Amino acid sequence: MTYPTCGSHDISKNGTTRRGKHNYKCRDCRRQFVEDPQWNPKDKDVIEQVNLRLLEKIPWAGIARVMQVSDIRLQEYVNNAYAQMATTESVLPKAKGKLTIQMDELWSFVDHKGNKQWVWLAIDADTREIIGCHVGDRSRTSAQQLWQFLPAVYRQCAKVYTDYWEAYETVIPSKRHFVVGKDSGLTSYIERLNNTMRQWVSRLVKKTLSFSKELDNHIGAIWTFTHEYNRLIRERLIKSVHPAISSVLY
């Protein structure tokens, strides 16, 4: 008998499992195992397909049915993936100069609609990259955290367009802060991004059964979207060599 992980032949019997199967132990790596286990780890192709479906507006139960995996195993995998999800975003380098930002807040909730969680977003109006993201309440503190999240070059010289929400006024420098209405069209890109997020992330739909029960999973799903969205934007920008980044890249 050979232990499949380390390839050792130094195997000893080690009682039985709760299901009545013979349990064995490798004397080299000290790991236990059984022959013909009931559960086998999923191959990389299945994991890649699960990751792709997590980017679509598909509930976890639907992913489990399509991929023929158990709900419990899928839940464990997604919990671990979201726990390790990076909550920072790297954007293409920009030179100091004429930069424009649009900001807005997106309503969402966790567990029940009384537990509101606002998704604060900031995008570069020229490249459409998401340059800032924060999940929290709708207070000045959250607006401050979003502002501090922005790359330094944007905080130093960018014009910022927002709606009339008062939290922005005490955070963004007044000389570069422009409060506008939706009819002006100066926040149209961020408003469109809100719609895109609700199409990609099912837990952000206002009337949905796919809501988050844990805040960590809620944040993880939003950052999963953010990373994928910016990856697609970067690919498009690099191919077209956008003027806003050409002076930095070349």
Side-chain angles (χ1 to χ4, degrees):
M1 182 178 293
T2 303
Y3 182 45
T5 300
C6 68
S8 174
H9 299 287
D10 192 2
I11 307 298
S12 64
K13 292 184 178 180
N14 193 38
T16 59
T17 68
R18 60 181 180 178
R19 294 184 175 87
K21 289 187 176 182
H22 289 293
N23 198 30
Y24 299 93
K25 187 174 184 179
C26 174
R27 288 192 177 123
D28 290 334
C29 66
R30 316 300 294 175
R31 298 294 298 274
Q32 299 184 58
F33 67 99
V34 297
E35 286 188 291
D36 300 323
Q38 183 176 356
W39 176 84
N40 291 304
K42 298 297 181 183
D43 57 29
K44 293 182 178 180
D45 290 338
V46 174
I47 294 175
E48 289 178 1
Q49 290 298 318
V50 169
N51 290 336
L52 288 174
R53 283 161 175 76
L54 288 174
L55 293 170
E56 303 295 335
K57 193 166 63 175
I58 305 175
W60 287 1
I63 296 176
R65 287 193 301 270
V66 172
M67 300 306 302
Q68 297 182 347
V69 297
S70 71
D71 294 346
I72 296 176
R73 301 301 298 182
L74 179 63
Q75 180 78 57
E76 290 177 352
Y77 171 76
V78 175
N79 287 348
N80 291 332
Y82 284 167
Q84 299 172 14
M85 184 66 58
T87 55
T88 58
E89 186 60 76
S90 59
V91 299
L92 290 171
K94 309 295 190 308
K96 289 185 178 180
K98 186 179 180 181
L99 296 172
T100 305
I101 299 175
Q102 296 181 9
M103 290 184 177
D104 198 15
E105 329 85 57
L106 177 68
W107 177 86
S108 65
F109 69 94
V110 172
D111 194 32
H112 57 87
K113 291 188 176 181
N115 184 15
K116 298 179 181 179
Q117 298 293 329
W118 292 86
V119 183
W120 295 72
L121 295 168
I123 66 170
D124 186 313
D126 296 317
T127 65
R128 311 291 197 275
E129 291 174 280
I130 299 175
I131 59 173
C133 178
H134 173 72
V135 180
D137 57 17
R138 211 183 182 195
S139 67
R140 178 188 180 278
T141 301
S142 292
Q144 180 68 42
Q145 289 176 328
L146 175 66
W147 178 253
Q148 292 300 324
F149 185 94
L150 302 181
V153 65
Y154 289 97
R155 297 198 305 270
Q156 293 169 4
C157 56
K159 292 182 179 180
V160 184
Y161 293 92
T162 72
D163 57 17
Y164 292 94
W165 185 241
E166 57 187 9
Y168 293 113
E169 297 179 0
T170 58
V171 173
I172 304 171
S174 58
K175 293 182 179 180
R176 292 187 283 117
H177 182 207
F178 301 89
V179 180
V180 296
K182 292 183 179 180
D183 56 347
S184 68
L186 295 174
T187 57
S188 59
Y189 298 138
I190 191 71
E191 295 288 348
R192 182 63 183 87
L193 177 63
N194 291 344
N195 293 333
T196 301
M197 289 191 71
R198 293 194 190 278
Q199 288 297 316
W200 281 37
V201 188
S202 58
R203 66 195 68 210
L204 295 180
V205 178
K206 291 185 177 180
K207 294 183 179 180
T208 181
L209 296 177
S210 301
F211 59 88
S212 303
K213 293 185 178 180
E214 298 290 339
L215 179 59
D216 290 342
N217 286 346
H218 190 71
I219 295 174
I222 292 169
W223 276 105
T224 299
F225 163 83
T226 301
H227 294 320
E228 179 64 13
Y229 180 87
N230 275 357
R231 184 187 69 81
L232 297 174
I233 290 291
R234 281 194 294 268
E235 288 182 357
R236 178 177 62 81
L237 290 173
I238 292 174
K239 288 180 180 178
S240 64
V241 191
H242 194 280
I245 62 174
S246 60
S247 60
V248 179
L249 295 178
Y250 300 101

